[in-house]
Amino acid sequence: MFRRVAIASLSALALSLAAAPASAADGQQLFNMQCKMCHAGGPMGPALNGVAGAKIASKPFAYSPALKAKEGTWTDANLDAFLKAPTQFAPGTKMMIAVPSDENRAAIIAFLKTLK
Ligand code: HEC
């Protein structure tokens, strides 16, 4: 229930930002609204510092078998594919949040690269 309400209001926020150009600053805003609640070092999601370029599912976190089974690293292309359609990139993943807007994904990926 909470999850459904949260996702609905988050998509409304994402839509209102859809026209913004892709930049790390925009990405940070999007991240704070759509991602941070799970990716701030708590049990809800893995920490994302240094995730760009890192091996997929390599943080100390209870990943799904689906994500653990993925080979490779978080290249731009993999991040883009995952954020566009997580359950297609890794069927069975525990992360359900998708970012349909190309521009918003680009901004978020630019921001992720600043997280060292
Ligand atoms: C409801 C909680 C939740 C939200 C919101 C969320 N994530 Fe996640 N995220 C997860 C979980 C859980 C995993 C691990 C997935 C798995 O094990 O299948 C994950 C995994 C990831 C990974 C891979 C990390 C790794 O170590 O391989 C990235 C990158 C990521 N999320 C980015 C994002 C971004 C960007 C957003 C916002 C658009 C976001 N997440 C929103 C829960 C969430």
Side-chain angles (χ1 to χ4, degrees):
M1 183 59 185
F2 165 73
R3 181 174 264 194
R4 193 171 307 153
V5 171
I7 289 172
S9 57
L10 285 170
S11 354
L13 283 168
L15 281 179
S16 66
L17 280 178
S23 76
D26 296 324
Q28 177 163 27
Q29 259 187 304
L30 292 164
F31 185 89
N32 286 344
M33 292 188 296
Q34 302 185 35
C35 321
K36 200 175 179 182
M37 79 275 282
C38 293
H39 288 291
M44 295 287 286
L48 294 181
N49 52 305
V51 74
K55 192 174 178 308
I56 294 173
S58 59
K59 305 269 181 191
F61 182 77
Y63 291 101
S64 63
L67 201 63
K68 272 197 194 152
K70 290 299 276 192
E71 305 276 337
T73 58
W74 285 120
T75 58
D76 285 10
N78 278 341
L79 281 170
D80 191 65
F82 180 58
L83 293 176
K84 186 173 189 176
T87 54
Q88 274 174 42
F89 180 84
T93 180
K94 288 197 232 172
M95 184 167 129
M96 311 286 179
I97 300 284
V99 183
S101 151
D102 293 351
E103 239 174 337
N104 288 357
R105 282 197 313 282
I108 289 172
I109 292 167
F111 172 67
L112 289 179
K113 288 177 169 174
T114 70
L115 300 177
K116 300 298 175 191

